[in-house]
Amino acid sequence: MWQHLRDRAKALADRPIRDLMDADRARDFSVEAMDMLFDYSKTNIDAETRDLLLSMAEKAELPACREAMFAGRPINETEGRAVLHTALRNLDGDPVAVAGQDVMPDVLATLSRMEDFARDVREGRFTGQGGSITDVVNIGIGGSDLGPAMAAQALSPHADGPRCHFVSNVDGAHVSDVLAPLDPATTLVIVASKTFTTTETMTNAETARAWMASEVADPAAQFAALSTASDRTAEFGIDGARVFGFADWVGGRYSMWGPIGLSLMIAVGPDDFRELLRGAAEMDAHFREAAMRDNMPVMLALVGIWHNQGCGYATRAVLPYEQRLARLPAYLQQLEMESNGKRVAMDGSELSVHSGPVVWGEPGTNGQHAFYQLIHQGTRVVPCEFMVGCRGHEPDLAHQHRLLVANCLAQSEALLRGRDLAQAKESLDGRFEGAELERQARHRVFPGNRPSTTLVYSRLTPRVLGQIVALYEHRVFVEGVILGINSFDQWGVELGKELAKALDPVLAGDAEAGDKDASTARLVGWLRAGAG
Ligand code: F6P
């Protein structure tokens, strides 16, 4: 199957994508659903290739795997867990059973507790020891940070509650810089950690508690916790009334829809948070019901498989033409790379193909003035995933939005069409002659024929953001199913954590470097000496 795909990619490598552009292509090679249009016509996928990709999804039994996920079966086999972030946005409350028990009553009860607490904070019924809460600090890392941090920025036009801040890095600079301008007496600290054991989060939480204690009599009273580990949150001293729990079937990187989204809910209000959930639920329904060819997450995933495992392009760039989605690439890095960066299949055998790609990006137009040079003229092909809204949130600045859109479209057009030597010579318009003209023109050639997709959405509202994030979640799922891997564990992060724990006393001078390799031992020596 993989060889077939690679052979096809090789055979088509030099075919100009432009040659595929007949009158029907843009319609045939795109998917419209909800508030979005996903265009993949600027890729080298033709009808036969699409059939091949669809047959791969079928062979991997995608529909059955999808239903197993939605039905709460333990598809995260290495951890023996169900995967049910979709239940967190199942606002209708249709029963979802895990091991024979409907999880929905608990999900909805927790959502309603979160809403009560968020309203209390926003409306001044829950106060700090110095008055109404002005600032909320979410302390978490990875999935307990990236989702709410990304969404809080994305939805800033909807933010009408206390200001939200995010601390993640164990670098003391992060917590210091965030806390410095805040008043402990009017700040709420939310400790977000599924396990409540993560070193970075627990260290920052202790620092924040000490900061709070320097000003207020009862610091714990201004702390809340989001976790699956109620014993540990109690040990930390956080009152159960301000602990919002969730089950182990919510993966960290899929958790922004539940308690981990509390800071976002406080910022934008429970109604907009529900809109976010509604948007995601719409995408869930689409993913479950739409035919494969008209299924946006499925087609986005198949484009990914084509580019990475078929054509061998090792990275993909996510390029939102929306400044407020500045944190989306970082969010997707965790979602995609922690989920699909695996070297063995579900049965433990080594993969015969590459796992998921390196995901990176920046908002346009900023990226255009930084790394697009390589995308246009570098020797490696980087498939680009553009996204842009029809409208912005600044009606007075519609002309700026138009420029933004023009740039987005121009980039995908330039990648598609390129500029050949004759055109490059023409552009030099009599400025050079002979060999110098040739030399100068060669620098100005764009190979073109570089693939991109474009996701167009109506406007970045809570509902649309929910659709976009759920789209990418399901895309990751589909790619994982076709690769035959477990997209829901993350064992690859463990070794570094263990070694860091062992190195801390060595750096403190309380233990010897012992069995460290020569490089690490020397680095330890330098760092210890430099620490004074
Ligand atoms: O180390 C990786 C990871 O486990 C992520 O998967 C997770 O989102 C993050 O750490 C934070 O974990 P926790 O929410 O348990 O603090």
Side-chain angles (χ1 to χ4, degrees):
M1 158 173 113
W2 294 112
Q3 197 50 49
H4 190 176
L5 186 73
R6 282 191 289 253
D7 289 347
R8 183 153 186 86
K10 212 167 168 189
L12 299 180
D14 295 325
R15 175 183 61 184
I17 300 171
R18 260 195 304 172
D19 289 0
L20 297 170
M21 286 287 173
D22 62 25
D24 297 330
R25 180 163 173 89
R27 205 193 52 240
D28 287 353
F29 289 78
S30 62
V31 181
E32 262 181 75
M34 292 151 282
D35 300 288
M36 305 200 284
L37 165 69
F38 169 59
D39 176 295
Y40 61 99
S41 64
K42 291 192 183 91
T43 68
N44 209 349
I45 295 175
D46 54 19
E48 209 180 318
T49 307
R50 180 169 58 194
D51 286 346
L52 171 62
L53 289 161
L54 286 166
S55 75
M56 288 172 70
E58 214 167 283
K59 218 178 253 162
E61 299 184 357
L62 176 61
C65 294
R66 180 182 58 193
E67 283 323 295
M69 175 173 75
F70 279 99
R73 287 209 277 283
I75 61 167
N76 174 357
E77 292 180 15
T78 60
E79 296 181 307
R81 292 176 185 167
V83 174
L84 271 180
H85 44 280
T86 50
L88 299 177
R89 52 228 194 188
N90 174 22
L91 292 173
D92 297 339
D94 297 341
V96 179
V98 174
Q101 187 139 6
D102 182 12
V103 300
M104 286 317 300
D106 271 358
V107 167
L108 295 179
T110 302
L111 176 62
S112 146
R113 280 186 60 228
M114 285 169 63
E115 292 177 330
D116 288 346
F117 182 64
R119 285 199 182 96
D120 285 350
V121 172
R122 287 165 57 85
E123 292 162 21
R125 286 183 296 278
F126 176 89
T127 63
Q129 284 146 76
S132 293
I133 296 295
T134 53
D135 295 273
V136 174
V137 178
N138 183 88
I139 298 182
I141 196 164
S144 298
D145 165 73
L146 288 163
M150 174 275 293
Q153 187 177 7
L155 301 181
S156 59
H158 297 261
D160 53 5
R163 291 177 292 264
C164 262
H165 313 268
F166 295 87
V167 172
S168 52
N169 201 325
V170 77
D171 183 347
H174 200 180
V175 67
S176 296
D177 287 355
V178 170
L179 296 183
L182 308 186
D183 177 359
T186 59
T187 296
L188 169 69
V189 174
I190 298 178
V191 185
S193 175
K194 180 175 168 181
T195 55
F196 231 68
T197 59
T198 303
T199 305
E200 290 92 331
T201 301
M202 300 324 298
T203 308
N204 280 324
E206 274 158 26
T207 301
R209 188 167 54 185
W211 168 80
M212 185 85 82
S214 68
E215 288 284 327
V216 306
D218 183 6
Q222 284 176 227
F223 270 64
L226 320 172
S227 183
T228 55
S230 53
D231 49 340
R232 295 197 190 103
T233 59
E235 214 173 283
F236 192 86
I238 301 176
D239 191 316
R242 292 188 306 283
V243 175
F244 300 89
F246 51 102
D248 67 1
W249 40 255
V250 181
R253 53 194 174 274
Y254 298 86
S255 63
M256 62 178 267
W257 317 102
I260 293 296
L262 182 63
S263 52
L264 173 68
M265 185 192 273
I266 293 174
V268 302
D271 294 346
D272 277 335
F273 192 83
R274 272 190 184 244
E275 275 295 288
L276 176 85
L277 300 185
R278 258 184 219 111
E282 284 168 355
M283 184 54 76
D284 294 342
H286 166 80
F287 178 48
R288 278 181 102 165
E289 290 157 15
M292 293 285 141
R293 229 185 98 161
D294 305 322
N295 196 306
M296 208 180 274
V298 171
M299 293 317 302
L300 180 60
L302 295 182
V303 171
I305 293 276
W306 170 246
H307 286 150
N308 183 17
Q309 285 79 16
C311 305
Y313 306 144
T315 84
R316 63 175 163 238
V318 183
L319 306 166
Y321 276 66
E322 177 91 48
Q323 183 58 27
R324 294 192 180 102
L325 287 179
R327 294 293 285 156
L328 185 69
Y331 175 83
L332 293 180
Q333 268 172 351
Q334 188 201 17
L335 181 65
E336 302 212 15
M337 293 166 76
E338 199 164 80
S339 296
N340 287 347
K342 309 287 160 66
R343 50 175 288 281
V344 296
M346 197 67 101
D347 64 5
S349 61
E350 292 211 5
L351 288 188
S352 60
V353 279
H354 282 300
S355 59
V358 176
V359 177
W360 58 285
E362 269 287 311
T365 58
N366 291 4
Q368 290 176 202
H369 300 271
F371 53 79
Y372 278 42
Q373 166 64 40
L374 180 145
I375 290 180
H376 285 289
Q377 288 190 316
T379 52
R380 287 192 183 90
V381 174
V382 179
C384 292
E385 300 189 349
F386 295 100
M387 49 181 89
V388 69
C390 298
R391 280 177 299 140
H393 283 276
E394 289 70 33
D396 299 348
L397 300 176
H399 62 292
Q400 290 200 215
H401 189 76
R402 214 170 41 241
L403 273 175
L404 182 76
V405 174
N407 272 277
C408 180
L409 295 181
Q411 291 300 324
S412 67
E413 192 186 347
L415 286 167
L416 173 73
R417 67 155 75 183
R419 172 178 284 162
D420 65 21
L421 190 62
Q423 291 167 321
K425 281 182 178 165
E426 212 178 296
S427 76
L428 288 172
D429 199 21
R431 280 196 282 149
F432 301 100
E433 283 182 353
E436 185 57 8
L437 174 62
E438 178 80 13
R439 188 173 78 90
Q440 290 288 347
R442 287 173 74 87
H443 289 270
R444 290 155 172 86
V445 168
F446 289 64
N449 208 29
R450 300 203 160 184
S452 70
T453 61
T454 305
L455 180 72
V456 181
Y457 48 87
S458 51
R459 194 158 80 126
L460 192 61
T461 60
R463 199 164 133 241
V464 167
L465 181 68
Q467 292 171 4
I468 293 174
V469 177
L471 164 67
Y472 273 87
E473 283 180 349
H474 295 319
R475 178 259 193 114
V476 166
F477 174 78
V478 174
E479 289 193 10
V481 166
I482 295 175
L483 289 167
I485 61 178
N486 182 0
S487 298
F488 300 103
D489 60 12
Q490 57 284 318
W491 300 109
V493 302
E494 294 304 323
L495 181 58
K497 285 185 193 171
E498 282 167 31
L499 294 176
K501 273 208 177 92
L503 272 165
D504 190 41
V506 176
L507 287 163
D510 298 335
E512 283 312 309
D515 65 347
K516 296 294 166 208
D517 60 84
S519 162
T520 306
R522 184 149 191 264
L523 292 167
V524 164
W526 264 76
L527 285 157
R528 268 170 61 170

